[in-house]
């Protein structure tokens, strides 16, 4: 892997600073630290290998060397609106899904709120973390991990949801840095559209398990079963419950599973 290849593939994007680490603990932690030290909007950290990659709900994220994409983009929202925070990780998922469609003509789906699936297996996870000063939102760190080559797929006993990688879906080797550039280009485009109907439409069109029976589980182990109807204008998940009522669930610490 040449560092030049990475910087070359990113040269047409409006990224003020890019840091590449052959190995680091977590790019999200690095980006939060950098943001606290004043990193500008769209500063980017990319790592080849993470030794302490972070996932949602306190889980860990597997990033072995040479096989995955692991990066964190620092966003400094022009109008820091904390109520938009839950939309940042779906922004990451939508951008990865669109990039996979654009480059490889794949048909990814988004498992609400922000896992990208290929052939019903998870190929990408997104973790958005925020930096606060008092009540003021300083920055959002958008961390994205994509399984690219087979070596990046965690062993089945280490995942809660079946996993896959981009190369298995494409059937050939994939240029990681080309994919990275396309995802970043897409994030930069859609970040300004977070409050528009087209963002929600783009997300909803790619929503996995629509019309299917699913189970949601909260951290206390409480479960809710129903038919997945879609998302509402706030990005909340809509389920039709057994008694035909509709319930909505906010983006948070919920696990979603298909029941079939
Ligand atoms: C999940 O599905 O649980 C979210 C995984 C997010 C992983 C990415 S890899 C780059 C960035 N750095 C981290 O430590 N985590 C995110």
């Amino acid at each position: 892997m040449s560092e030049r290849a990475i910087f070359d593939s990113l040269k047409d994007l409006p990224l003020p600073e890019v840091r590449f680490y052959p190995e680091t603990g977590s790019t999200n932690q690095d980006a939060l630290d950098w943001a606290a030290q004043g990193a500008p909007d769209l500063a980017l950290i990319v790592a080849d290998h993470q030794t302490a990659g972070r996932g949602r709900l306190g889980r860990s994220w597997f990033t072995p060397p040479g096989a995955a994409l692991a990066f964190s983009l620092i966003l400094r929202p022009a109008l820091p609106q904390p109520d938009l925070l839950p939309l940042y990780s779906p922004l990451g998922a939508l951008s990865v899904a669109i990039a996979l469609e654009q480059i490889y003509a794949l048909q990814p789906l988004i498992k609400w709120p922000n896992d990208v699936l290929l052939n019903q297996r998870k190929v990408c996870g997104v973790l958005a973390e925020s930096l606060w000063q008092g009540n003021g939102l300083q920055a959002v760190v958008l961390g994205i991990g994509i399984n690219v080559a087979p070596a990046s797929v965690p062993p089945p006993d280490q995942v809660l949801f079946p996993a896959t990688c981009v190369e298995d879906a494409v059937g050939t080797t994939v240029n990681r840095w080309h994919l990275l550039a396309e995802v970043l280009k897409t994030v930069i485009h859609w970040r300004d559209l977070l409050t528009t109907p087209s963002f929600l439409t783009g997300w909803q069109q790619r929503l996995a398990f629509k019309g299917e029976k699913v189970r949601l589980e909260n951290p206390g182990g409480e479960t809710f079963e129903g038919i997945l109807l879609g998302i509402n204008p706030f990005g909340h998940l809509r389920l039709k419950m057994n008694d035909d009522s509709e319930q909505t669930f906010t983006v948070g610490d919920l696990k979603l599973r298909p029941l079939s």
Side-chain angles (χ1 to χ4, degrees):
M1 173 206 41
S2 107
E3 239 180 275
R4 207 157 119 218
I6 304 170
F7 286 93
D8 257 16
S9 71
L10 301 178
K11 68 179 184 323
D12 295 330
L13 295 174
L15 304 173
E17 278 189 67
V18 178
R19 293 183 177 174
F20 171 73
Y21 300 133
E23 180 182 303
T24 190
S26 154
T27 57
N28 262 31
Q29 187 56 54
D30 296 335
L32 285 168
D33 294 344
W34 191 14
Q37 291 155 13
D41 183 48
L42 297 182
L44 174 73
I45 299 194
V46 185
D48 183 49
H49 175 203
Q50 291 188 120
T51 54
R54 293 210 285 250
R56 281 180 75 227
L57 312 179
R59 295 196 282 258
S60 59
W61 183 260
F62 181 63
T63 313
L69 273 174
F71 57 96
S72 300
L73 184 67
I74 296 171
L75 299 173
R76 296 210 181 255
L79 282 176
Q81 287 173 278
D83 51 318
L84 294 185
L85 274 179
L87 299 182
Y88 279 90
S89 51
L91 164 69
L94 178 62
S95 302
V96 171
I98 292 175
L100 293 171
E101 291 165 7
Q102 294 287 330
I103 313 182
Y104 311 111
L106 296 172
Q107 291 183 308
L109 291 175
I110 299 172
K111 180 165 82 72
W112 182 89
N114 52 232
D115 287 341
V116 182
L117 308 182
L118 282 173
N119 303 320
Q120 305 199 333
R121 293 172 167 262
K122 179 164 168 173
V123 71
C124 160
V126 184
L127 179 67
E129 298 187 89
S130 38
L131 178 75
W132 296 83
Q133 208 165 56
N135 285 334
L137 176 65
Q138 298 296 303
V140 178
V141 165
L142 185 56
I144 299 183
I146 307 177
N147 303 335
V148 179
S152 64
V153 180
D157 60 337
Q158 285 178 30
V159 289
L160 293 171
F161 196 85
T164 188
C165 65
V166 181
E167 289 190 353
D168 276 356
V170 176
T172 174
T173 55
V174 157
N175 181 324
R176 280 189 283 169
W177 315 124
H178 183 198
L179 175 57
L180 170 65
E182 191 67 27
V183 173
L184 291 168
K185 189 179 98 184
T186 315
V187 171
I188 292 167
H189 171 78
W190 283 92
R191 69 182 294 204
D192 294 327
L193 303 174
L194 274 191
T195 54
T196 67
S198 55
F199 173 73
L200 288 161
T201 306
W203 180 10
Q204 176 131 264
Q205 277 169 345
R206 296 168 177 85
L207 207 56
F209 314 123
K210 241 184 301 178
E212 292 177 34
K213 193 147 192 195
V214 297
R215 174 182 294 141
L216 285 178
E217 188 182 326
N218 72 18
E222 201 180 357
T223 59
F224 307 87
E225 287 182 9
I227 309 279
L228 195 154
L229 296 175
I231 47 177
N232 73 10
F234 306 100
H236 302 168
L237 190 73
R238 298 170 49 222
L239 290 195
K240 185 167 138 192
M241 312 308 283
N242 285 339
D243 63 1
D244 272 0
S245 67
E246 186 177 320
Q247 267 196 45
T248 54
F249 297 85
T250 52
V251 176
D253 295 348
L254 288 164
K255 274 195 295 198
L256 184 146
R257 295 286 175 273
L259 277 176
S260 50

